[in-house]
């Protein structure tokens, strides 16, 4: 339970950073989380309201990323940019943007919580998941970033491993 809460805290920090950038850039933001298997959505009027909503989340249930998108698809307007923050938990991950409405773009931020820089230096689960995704660039994915707890979040988001305009081979 403590490990799940730590992972949720790391994901919420990443989400807060993305929300701040989106709101400062003039984009509307709708946050989504799950209570069991039911999606909860929140249209964030401002950054502080988004922080409050994120802080109120509890670590509940466990849906795979593709199940999350499928259950949320009816709440997403066509042409939306969807940023999905995915915890690396040992199970294979594969984007399923086909579950999204037409003309939506899917960006993933993979999060490795509780590992820190020591784990990153030795290799591990994150490298396997990223290598799987980069070995055959998925057409559904418009962007991919990897964030390990303890690393520079700003650098991670400003220098994704993949974006719809360019690929960068990770130094992992």
């Amino acid at each position: 339970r403590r490990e799940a809460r730590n992972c949720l805290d790391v994901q919420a920090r990443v989400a807060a950073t993305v929300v701040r950038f989106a709101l400062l850039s003039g984009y509307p933001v709708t946050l989504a989380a799950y209570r069991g298997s039911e999606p909860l959505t929140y249209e964030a009027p401002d950054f502080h309201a988004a922080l409050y909503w994120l802080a109120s989340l509890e670590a509940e249930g466990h849906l795979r990323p593709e199940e999350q998108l499928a259950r949320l698809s009816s709440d997403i307007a066509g042409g939306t940019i969807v940023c999905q923050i995915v915890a690396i938990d040992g199970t294979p991950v594969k984007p399923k943007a086909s579950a999204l409405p037409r003309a939506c773009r899917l960006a993933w931020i993979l999060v490795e919580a509780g590992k820190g820089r020591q784990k990153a230096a030795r290799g591990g689960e994150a490298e396997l998941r990223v290598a799987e995704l980069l070995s055959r660039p998925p057409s559904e994915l418009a962007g991919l970033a990897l964030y390990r707890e303890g690393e520079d979040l700003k650098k991670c988001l400003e220098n994704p491993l993949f974006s719809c305009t360019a690929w960068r081979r990770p130094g992992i």
Side-chain angles (χ1 to χ4, degrees), residues 3 11 13 44 71-72 74 133 150 158 160 170:
E3 188 175 303
Q11 289 175 293
R13 262 196 322 268
R71 291 176 189 263
L72 194 60
S74 64
L133 290 167
E158 288 178 345

Side-chain angles (χ1 to χ4, degrees), residues 37-152:
S37 62
E38 293 302 313
L40 303 171
T41 59
Y42 176 68
E43 292 184 31
D46 58 55
F47 181 62
H48 294 290
L51 287 179
Y52 183 79
W53 190 82
L54 288 167
S56 71
L57 296 177
E58 293 292 329
E60 299 180 25
H62 184 75
L63 292 177
R64 296 181 48 79
E66 61 272 14
E67 294 171 314
Q68 293 174 1
L69 290 178
R71 291 176 189 263
L72 194 60
S73 65
S74 64
D75 294 330
I76 299 172
T80 299
I81 298 170
V82 176
C83 179
Q84 191 175 23
I85 301 169
V86 180
I88 296 174
D89 64 1
T91 58
V93 291
K94 184 169 174 136
K96 291 282 189 183
S98 57
L100 295 174
R102 186 171 162 86
C104 286
R105 305 290 303 257
L106 177 63
W108 264 13
I109 301 173
L110 299 178
V111 172
E112 188 174 45
K115 307 295 186 195
R117 292 186 180 146
Q118 293 174 351
K119 177 71 173 176
R122 288 181 279 151
E125 201 65 41
E127 286 78 7
L128 293 174
R129 300 303 163 226
V130 169
E132 287 171 8
L133 290 167
L134 294 179
S135 67
R136 297 168 84 198
S139 60
E140 298 97 341
L141 207 54
L144 175 67
L146 171 62
Y147 175 69
R148 291 183 183 94
E149 184 178 13
E151 293 186 343
D152 185 342

